[in-house]
Amino acid sequence: MSQSADETDAAEYRPLLFSIAYGMTGSVGDAEDLVQDAFLGLTRARQAGTTIVDHKAYLATTVTRLGINHLRSARVRREMYVGNWLPEPVVMPDDDTGPAAHAELADSLSMAFLVLLESLSPVERAVFMLREVFGYGYPDVARSTGKSEANCRQIFTRARQRIAAGRVRGSAPPPARAQGEELARRFFDAAEGGDLDALLGMLAPDVVFLGDGGGKARAIGKPVAEPRRVGQLLVGGFRRFRILGLSLRPAWINGRPGVVTYDAEGRVASVIELDIADGVVHAIHSVTNPDKLAHLGPVSDVVRLPGT
């Protein structure tokens, strides 16, 4: 068979597959590897003479099962992780191209949501995500996970209850991109300017700050809650940014507004994402772990801990 058919499938389905794999793993690199493995499996199956009628279904099933296996092998590493665990940030390109621009990823796979998914088992995560995020029917969910439809319904109900119990705020949708970017601009201007009162006016009563340094970079080891404490943390943190010579560049991260910080040499130092709803910031996620920033470009060492 000609290779053009596979290439056409790759162009058409890769964004969806990346979104599924990223939702399963929370890792850009692992998601790309899973998608590549799925296409490799498709190629081998076709070379072996296997007739595959629905390439999309075949690939989605393969990626889902690879994701389940990946999570099972990664669970011990997650349990031993130093400090808060946050997913690798996906910075959306300005021209809305590439896998990161896929609609499901932009709308549904925020950092806050991915953190909640960590409370689920690998199979629960797959069932919940395929059903809730991607809108798959139960027959498709059952095929992708290798479970019966009745079992998938039960798994989904349990997973939804667990996710609902873990939410720290209501289910209000995120703001439109323009509105989110405007609030983020005012938020970061206030943080850079040390304007605590302005920050307090933009923080929800249930606001929480989470930092992920992975034991390799400076980060707050535990969640910080309560508006004044979070505001003071931000003012102090951005004061340190100025001392270190870091600059901020607005970005759209996991479907939410935020910034990427760079050192004087243009290397990535951190990514900060804002979870906004009802016109205020409910959560701030800051990633400084260099292992989770490498896919964005050269990584700075200005916040790296000595000896790491």
Side-chain angles (χ1 to χ4, degrees):
M1 293 184 181
S2 68
Q3 191 176 9
S4 60
D6 281 340
E7 292 172 350
T8 300
D9 286 347
E12 183 176 358
Y13 302 132
R14 189 173 294 272
L16 170 64
L17 298 171
F18 175 85
S19 296
I20 294 174
Y22 177 71
M24 287 294 294
T25 65
S27 165
V28 173
D30 289 337
E32 291 174 343
D33 288 344
L34 295 186
V35 172
Q36 192 62 32
D37 287 346
F39 278 110
L40 181 60
L42 173 64
T43 299
R44 288 174 175 170
R46 295 183 62 183
Q47 290 174 344
T50 303
T51 300
I52 300 172
V53 177
D54 190 337
H55 286 177
K56 179 181 178 181
Y58 179 92
L59 289 166
T61 295
T62 302
V63 164
T64 299
R65 296 190 180 184
L66 287 171
I68 290 172
N69 291 336
H70 173 87
L71 284 180
R72 285 171 174 162
S73 65
R75 186 156 299 276
V76 173
R77 296 198 302 272
R78 294 282 175 89
E79 291 172 352
M80 298 175 62
Y81 195 80
V82 178
N84 302 307
W85 179 91
L86 292 174
E88 290 183 13
V90 175
V91 178
M92 309 294 182
D94 292 335
D95 56 0
D96 290 333
T97 60
H102 194 57
E104 284 87 348
L105 177 63
D107 291 343
S108 303
L109 298 183
S110 68
M111 286 195 176
F113 182 68
L114 287 169
V115 169
L116 285 175
L117 291 181
E118 286 291 297
S119 67
L120 304 179
S121 72
V123 172
E124 286 175 334
R125 184 166 181 158
V127 169
F128 182 78
M129 195 180 59
L130 290 174
R131 178 67 178 159
E132 181 78 5
V133 177
F134 298 97
Y136 276 43
Y138 282 110
D140 293 327
V141 175
R143 183 194 63 241
S144 293
T145 58
K147 304 293 182 180
S148 69
E149 288 186 40
N151 197 3
C152 286
R153 291 178 186 275
Q154 294 173 347
I155 292 171
F156 177 75
T157 298
R158 291 197 305 267
R160 183 169 56 183
Q161 291 171 346
R162 191 174 303 173
I163 292 296
R167 291 188 185 277
V168 296
R169 62 174 174 82
S171 57
R177 182 158 181 164
Q179 294 173 323
E181 288 175 343
E182 172 58 22
L183 193 151
R185 182 192 64 76
R186 293 189 287 109
F187 180 90
F188 289 112
D189 282 349
E192 283 192 291
D195 191 340
L196 180 59
D197 289 339
L199 280 175
L200 292 177
M202 289 181 274
L203 297 176
D206 62 354
V207 67
V208 61
F209 179 98
L210 292 170
D212 179 348
K216 297 183 178 182
R218 293 184 178 89
I220 303 300
K222 297 180 179 180
V224 177
E226 199 275 319
R228 183 163 294 275
R229 290 181 63 210
V230 172
Q232 291 171 340
L233 173 66
L234 290 167
V235 169
F238 277 81
R239 184 184 302 117
R240 181 171 178 77
F241 281 4
R242 292 194 299 273
I243 294 173
L244 294 175
L246 298 181
S247 59
L248 279 61
R249 186 178 303 170
W252 200 247
I253 303 158
N254 288 65
R256 302 294 188 273
V259 293
V260 180
T261 70
Y262 296 87
D263 66 13
E265 298 179 17
R267 299 174 300 178
V268 178
S270 68
V271 169
I272 304 172
E273 181 231 42
L274 304 181
D275 192 19
I276 297 173
D278 301 319
V280 290
V281 176
H282 288 261
I284 302 144
H285 302 101
S286 172
V287 179
T288 55
N289 183 344
D291 295 342
K292 295 185 176 182
L293 301 176
H295 64 284
L296 300 176
V299 180
S300 176
D301 58 4
V302 296
V303 295
R304 186 185 287 267
L305 294 173
T308 62

